[in-house]
Amino acid sequence: MGETVATNRIQVVRATAWRDAVIKILEPRSPYRPWRIPAGIKRGDAVLVVLETNPVSVIADIREVGVDGSALRALARFLDSGLPWREPPALLELATLRALTGFSLPDDGDPATVLGRAALTTAIGQRQAAPSGGDYLDGHTSLAAAAILLVSLGRCTGCGDKLGLAAADARDRLHIRSVDLAPSQRRVPVADDPPEEPRRLSQQGYGPDDIRIGVWRPGRFPTDWPAVLCDTCHGRMQHGGFDSFLRLRFSLHPPCPSCAAQWTMRTYAGFAAVLRSEPWMFHTGCCPRRIWVCAACGHEWGPSSDPEAG
Ligand SMILES: [Zn+2]
Ligand SMILES: [Zn+2]
């Protein structure tokens, strides 16, 4: 956007220290200087960021150098989407981008490349349109670690506190917990299913019982969840005897007063730009309900989750 006239040049900015680079994206005030910026960048050039993760990845968001001609300023705007919420850019494996577009990295000494910028932008734009956040989060690669840190938006997945990314030692004070590949394929119920409800047999009836919604089905959660932890939550994890981050996360909610299970979800309601997929959050649709709901038995308690209701 703006008055800049786009050139047909794609400038590849590389970051060897991917952790520093993600921190810098999330917190432009960070003192880190992760970018290797090619000489000769001009207003209107596109900037494509390559992170030297394993496997090598690119940020699926092309930034355009503005009238100030500053690549650094263009790189500081990844989270300025113009939307009322902040959404992290997605990562894309370089090999995937190459397969989609034929794009190949120029040699290090030859940073500027002129090739189908439109095709590249389209491929990356389609990528952005896909639901973001859920890609590459599984597995123990540094690509997964970078993606986990990116979707954290700089907050601890445990307590929700800011990770203090502007600090000089930020890179040493965050703890990225990656998970085994595709934990979503191994979802386990947190409690036994209740007995089958007899009313379900008369779904075509007209009595008042027939419009009841079925009984509560216990939540089925992955065995673990990727996370970035602050020092405090990292310590909790180490000393609390938790066998997974998910257990730690649920331990931060009160246990169910009805069945004593430690699988309490916090509810949220209303318009949500991005429906949160975290197992410890529960979207109740348009209407606020009680703030806590037990994933094991369905018991709801506490004040309303409506923020305006206090
Ligand atoms: Zn924390
Ligand atoms: Zn319960």
Side-chain angles (χ1 to χ4, degrees):
M1 272 156 265
E3 301 301 312
T4 312
V5 179
T7 66
N8 196 35
R9 306 201 314 165
I10 298 158
Q11 304 276 7
V12 175
V13 171
R14 297 175 195 234
T16 313
W18 61 263
R19 191 186 281 249
D20 291 10
V22 174
I23 289 172
K24 188 75 179 173
I25 288 169
L26 296 174
E27 177 50 89
R29 290 176 303 155
S30 162
Y32 298 162
R33 303 174 65 181
W35 312 122
R36 297 214 307 273
I37 296 183
I41 283 198
K42 290 202 296 248
R43 147 188 191 181
D45 286 355
V47 175
L48 181 69
V49 169
V50 172
L51 300 182
E52 296 192 4
T53 49
N54 181 22
V56 178
S57 55
V58 301
I59 301 233
D61 188 358
I62 290 187
R63 295 279 95 190
E64 193 163 293
V65 177
V67 288
D68 54 18
S70 165
L72 277 180
R73 254 181 229 115
L75 291 170
R77 291 195 293 261
F78 273 117
L79 296 185
D80 296 351
S81 60
L83 300 168
W85 59 89
R86 302 207 314 163
E87 201 174 342
L91 288 178
L92 184 57
E93 244 181 276
L94 179 62
T96 304
L97 188 62
R98 190 181 295 134
L100 287 173
T101 64
F103 173 80
S104 61
L105 276 185
D107 292 335
D108 217 7
D110 182 21
T113 177
V114 183
L115 60 96
R117 174 170 166 179
L120 192 62
T121 308
T122 305
I124 285 185
Q126 284 167 350
R127 185 68 191 188
Q128 274 184 287
S132 65
D135 294 327
Y136 303 121
L137 294 180
D138 299 329
H140 299 289
T141 63
S142 57
L143 168 56
I148 292 166
L149 182 54
L150 206 47
V151 300
S152 78
L153 285 174
R155 286 187 179 271
C156 172
T157 323
C159 65
D161 282 357
K162 287 189 175 171
L163 288 166
L165 297 184
D169 61 350
R171 68 167 81 85
D172 304 314
R173 301 198 53 194
L174 52 87
H175 310 270
I176 302 174
R177 286 183 54 85
S178 52
V179 295
D180 291 339
L181 215 53
S184 57
Q185 290 171 6
R186 286 183 288 112
R187 288 174 177 269
V188 286
V190 298
D192 291 335
D193 266 345
E196 208 42 51
E197 195 182 33
R199 288 185 200 90
R200 292 171 69 86
L201 297 172
S202 59
Q203 278 176 355
Q204 288 160 4
Y206 297 95
D209 284 348
D210 295 314
I211 54 170
R212 282 175 59 138
I213 308 168
V215 291
W216 177 263
R217 297 277 163 217
R220 303 177 72 88
F221 299 147
T223 48
D224 206 351
W225 195 261
V228 185
L229 300 183
C230 68
D231 277 336
T232 306
C233 288
H234 181 65
R236 282 183 180 132
M237 190 77 214
Q238 299 251 294
H239 308 299
F242 299 103
D243 57 356
S244 73
F245 166 71
L246 218 47
R247 275 292 189 183
L248 166 80
R249 188 61 188 78
F250 275 100
S251 81
L252 300 175
H253 290 174
C256 174
S258 175
C259 78
Q262 189 67 61
W263 292 111
T264 301
M265 302 181 288
R266 189 187 181 105
T267 67
Y268 67 108
F271 171 75
V274 182
L275 279 183
R276 304 180 57 167
S277 57
E278 296 105 321
W280 57 89
M281 298 296 293
F282 188 76
H283 190 237
T284 57
C286 59
C287 304
R289 301 225 298 253
R290 304 293 201 91
I291 193 166
W292 304 118
V293 55
C294 173
C297 73
H299 179 63
E300 299 179 32
W301 76 98
S304 166
S305 66
D306 183 357
E308 281 161 285

